Amino acid sequence: MAAPVPWACCAVLAAAAAVVYAQRHGPQETPHVQYERLGSDVTLPCGTANWDAAVTWRVNGTDLAPDLLNGSQLVLRGLELGHSGVYACFHRDSWHLRHQVLLNVGLPPREPVLSCRSNTYPKGFYCSWHLPTPTYIPNTFNVTVLHGSKIMVCEKDPALKNRCHIRYMHLFSTVKYKVSISVSNALGHNATAITFDEFTIVKPDPPENVVARPVPSNPRRLEVTWQTPSTWPDPESFPLKFFLRYRPLILDQWQHVELSDGTAHTITDAYAGKEYIIQVAAKDNEIGTWSDWSVAAHATPWTEEPRHLTTEAQAPDHDQHHQLPGTPTHHEDL
Amino acid sequence: FLLPAPLCLLTLLLPPLGLGAPMSPAEPISQAYSLALYMQKNTSTLLQTYLQCQGSPFSDPGFSAPELQLGSLPPAAVSFKTWHALNDRERLSCAQGAFLALTQHLQLVGDDQSDLNPGSPILLAQLGAARLRAQGLLGNIAAIMTALGLPIPPEEDTLGLVPFGASAFERKCRGYVVTREYGHWTDRAVRDLALLKAKYPG
């Protein structure tokens, strides 16, 4: 009698193991991924279960109220972003997992916004794009560039994922560029295109290293120097002209000076003793548009006596010297 | 009508002759640069006036046929790498050859338009002015080349055997290419002269 018992035991154990295995690794090993539109209604069937099967639904591990059910199907109305998650339906009595859905609520893409600019004329230009409103689900973009009838390669930017770069092929011609972009996701697609001449999209980066210094013994002068933007490839054959603006901090009105060459300028009409803010912009001599304003430089013209220079008018208090430790006082020299 | 254009770089076949000690080229460069800038202000007007006078399809809004070229006129389009690598002699020879061809072609277009559009005095005047300015620029370029001790290539006939039987449509196309390339060559001359200006400061 001993021999058949172990065999029977093994058979039962094997069967039990098979049932447990079937419960754990059911027909839905990985959840089915589903995309649905924000605001819409969706009915999730419980896999292949009959409509009248007794099931329980859970979302991200939390039970869902039975009033959402239509038979064994889960009905979600007016989808919101918060509805995204893993929905699982279980056989009510055995807790056998029947079906899993990863629901992503989102929107089809609206028309993308595409713009191109050259800050490295005449070497090339770049195009950037974005969607005006988020879709909340993954999007794929596809950019094509035509120069006349020739297809050009737009190299992806190594750092920014919504930008690519095109190298200029020819100077001194007016074959237009046409840049088209299409965007698609699981809920829809959209596209747009722009056409332009290469010279219309030229906009340099702002001048760099703008420095303003007082001029010794000149209470109304400030000397301003700057550098051409380092991204501009050839300032000698493609020279830049500059626009300088300055004002004392206490006033709102800017003074402007346009400079056709050189990277220095002396302001000669500064208000004595007032702190100034100065900015410079750049533009190619012939084509394109002005850069953004540079980082501002601050300076105050030279004054006779050393004192704390502030932007408010100072009450005359020559006898009270605010001495910082270690700074020499000069008033005895005057 | 479709003779191969003399390539700019063929001028390298001329042996370099020493024409005496070079003078400072800064003054002629500056003059040429000012003239080129002045010319540049009128080039798009010339093209627009020309197109308007030819009737459809030239006068249609947005008309553009960039791949249409004349074999006898060197195209201004060039890659940045090539353009940047030109030495003074190549650069000035290219410009000289182009504006010489342009003066001759502008004369031809003027003749064609007197025939095709006799009632367009403004167009004829603009074509005449463009030709004179191109001629002026040729003189300035020659002065720069002399100052740099470079040989001035001899003036040659760029038109060659212009077929007299060219139809009205062919002649209108020809005029379009000439007025368009005049603009492109002027843009290029401005850049060439800016580069030379930086290279030979006064």
Side-chain angles (χ1 to χ4, degrees):
Chain A
M1 279 291 276
V5 171
W7 273 114
C9 273
C10 283
V12 168
L13 281 172
V19 168
V20 169
Y21 189 89
Q23 279 187 346
R24 288 241 184 97
H25 306 282
Q28 287 295 316
E29 173 59 49
T30 49
H32 163 72
V33 179
Q34 194 165 332
Y35 293 93
E36 293 295 335
R37 203 180 162 134
L38 194 65
S40 67
D41 301 338
V42 69
T43 300
L44 299 174
C46 181
T48 53
N50 290 333
W51 183 86
D52 56 357
V55 298
T56 312
W57 279 90
R58 278 185 167 181
V59 59
N60 297 336
T62 312
D63 284 352
L64 283 167
D67 61 337
L68 294 170
L69 293 179
N70 175 6
S72 64
Q73 299 174 324
L74 181 66
V75 178
L76 299 169
R77 296 195 187 282
L79 283 176
E80 295 167 8
L81 294 177
H83 281 114
S84 297
V86 179
Y87 290 81
C89 80
F90 299 86
H91 202 266
R92 190 176 296 155
D93 302 321
S94 66
W95 282 105
H96 165 60
L97 173 66
R98 298 220 47 169
H99 186 67
Q100 261 189 305
V101 176
L102 172 56
L103 183 68
N104 293 290
V105 179
L107 288 165
R110 291 177 60 183
E111 187 176 309
V113 176
L114 176 65
S115 65
C116 299
R117 172 186 166 213
S118 175
N119 60 343
T120 55
Y121 188 77
K123 283 219 168 136
F125 62 96
Y126 66 84
C127 294
S128 300
W129 55 89
H130 66 271
L131 289 172
T133 51
T135 60
Y136 310 102
I137 56 178
N139 306 302
T140 326
F141 293 91
N142 192 1
V143 177
T144 51
V145 180
L146 281 175
H147 185 217
S149 49
K150 188 175 168 189
I151 298 175
M152 306 208 48
V153 172
C154 195
E155 292 163 12
K156 288 196 192 303
D157 188 286
L160 298 159
K161 67 179 173 66
N162 282 8
R163 181 175 291 194
C164 67
H165 298 261
I166 294 111
R167 258 174 267 176
Y168 276 132
M169 296 311 288
H170 281 128
L171 303 176
F172 316 122
S173 80
T174 46
V175 177
K176 287 188 197 284
Y177 284 87
K178 181 174 178 184
V179 183
S180 319
I181 184 169
S182 68
V183 55
S184 61
N185 65 22
L187 297 172
H189 69 271
N190 214 321
T192 190
I194 54 175
T195 307
F196 52 86
D197 282 310
E198 62 182 41
F199 48 84
T200 56
I201 59 164
V202 176
K203 178 180 171 179
D205 285 331
E208 292 171 7
N209 205 17
V210 180
V211 174
R213 274 179 281 254
V215 180
S217 306
N218 281 283
R220 300 204 63 194
R221 289 187 176 218
L222 286 169
E223 190 188 287
V224 189
T225 57
W226 60 90
Q227 285 161 0
T228 60
S230 51
T231 46
W232 195 250
D234 190 359
E236 297 208 324
S237 4
F238 294 84
L240 294 169
K241 60 182 175 183
F242 300 99
F243 209 57
L244 193 132
R245 71 175 186 179
Y246 59 96
R247 64 173 172 88
L249 285 180
I250 53 174
L251 293 179
D252 289 329
Q253 192 95 29
W254 292 96
Q255 299 271 82
H256 292 105
V257 182
E258 185 164 333
L259 302 157
S260 56
D261 59 57
T263 53
H265 177 71
T266 304
I267 297 166
T268 55
D269 61 348
Y271 291 114
K274 300 288 177 263
E275 184 178 347
Y276 271 76
I277 177 169
I278 298 135
Q279 289 178 298
V280 191
K283 180 183 172 303
D284 176 272
N285 253 340
E286 321 296 324
I287 59 178
T289 55
W290 287 98
S291 71
D292 292 338
W293 289 106
S294 69
V295 170
H298 291 252
T300 309
W302 175 92
T303 47
E304 278 192 47
E305 294 170 29
R307 56 179 180 168
H308 271 302
L309 299 164
T310 67
T311 55
E312 291 114 314
Q314 286 235 286
D317 58 352
H318 301 288
D319 299 324
Q320 278 178 311
H321 300 291
H322 301 275
Q323 288 187 20
L324 296 169
T327 54
T329 54
H330 295 294
H331 66 278
E332 294 97 353
D333 298 333
L334 294 171
Chain B
F1 181 55
L2 285 173
L3 293 171
L7 290 171
C8 293
L9 299 178
L10 283 177
T11 60
L12 288 177
L13 294 172
L14 292 168
L17 301 165
L19 298 173
M23 314 170 281
S24 164
E27 180 61 31
I29 290 173
S30 179
Q31 282 184 348
Y33 182 65
S34 300
L35 176 56
L37 280 178
Y38 174 67
M39 285 162 71
Q40 199 179 37
K41 295 195 193 321
N42 295 309
T43 49
S44 59
T45 311
L46 174 64
L47 177 60
Q48 289 314 308
T49 308
Y50 179 85
L51 288 173
Q52 283 309 306
C53 291
Q54 307 312 311
S56 194
F58 305 94
S59 56
D60 294 348
F63 172 81
S64 170
E67 276 123 3
L68 195 62
Q69 292 286 346
L70 282 177
S72 49
L73 195 59
V78 65
S79 76
F80 177 52
K81 209 169 155 203
T82 304
W83 177 83
H84 201 263
L86 296 170
N87 64 35
D88 291 347
R89 187 156 135 218
E90 291 162 330
R91 189 176 299 280
L92 289 162
S93 300
C94 276
Q96 194 266 357
F99 281 95
L100 177 64
L102 283 166
T103 51
Q104 295 176 359
H105 283 69
L106 282 165
Q107 177 71 67
L108 175 63
V109 174
D111 292 345
D112 283 342
Q113 288 299 309
S114 303
D115 196 29
L116 293 168
N117 285 303
S120 301
I122 295 175
L123 172 62
L124 296 174
Q126 286 189 10
L127 286 167
R131 186 174 59 78
L132 287 174
R133 291 184 195 127
Q135 212 140 42
L137 193 62
L138 269 179
N140 286 347
I141 293 170
I144 300 170
M145 292 176 97
T146 306
L148 289 172
L150 298 168
I152 300 166
E155 290 211 356
E156 51 181 50
D157 177 20
T158 56
L159 289 169
L161 292 170
V162 176
F164 292 100
S167 68
F169 181 69
E170 283 172 308
R171 289 192 275 169
K172 288 181 181 183
C173 283
R174 186 156 69 195
Y176 159 67
V177 175
V178 173
T179 49
R180 185 194 71 204
E181 289 304 304
Y182 174 72
H184 292 162
W185 270 108
T186 304
D187 290 339
R188 183 164 159 174
V190 167
R191 299 294 187 181
D192 283 324
L193 293 163
L195 188 152
L196 289 168
K197 221 176 152 203
K199 191 172 172 185
Y200 298 102

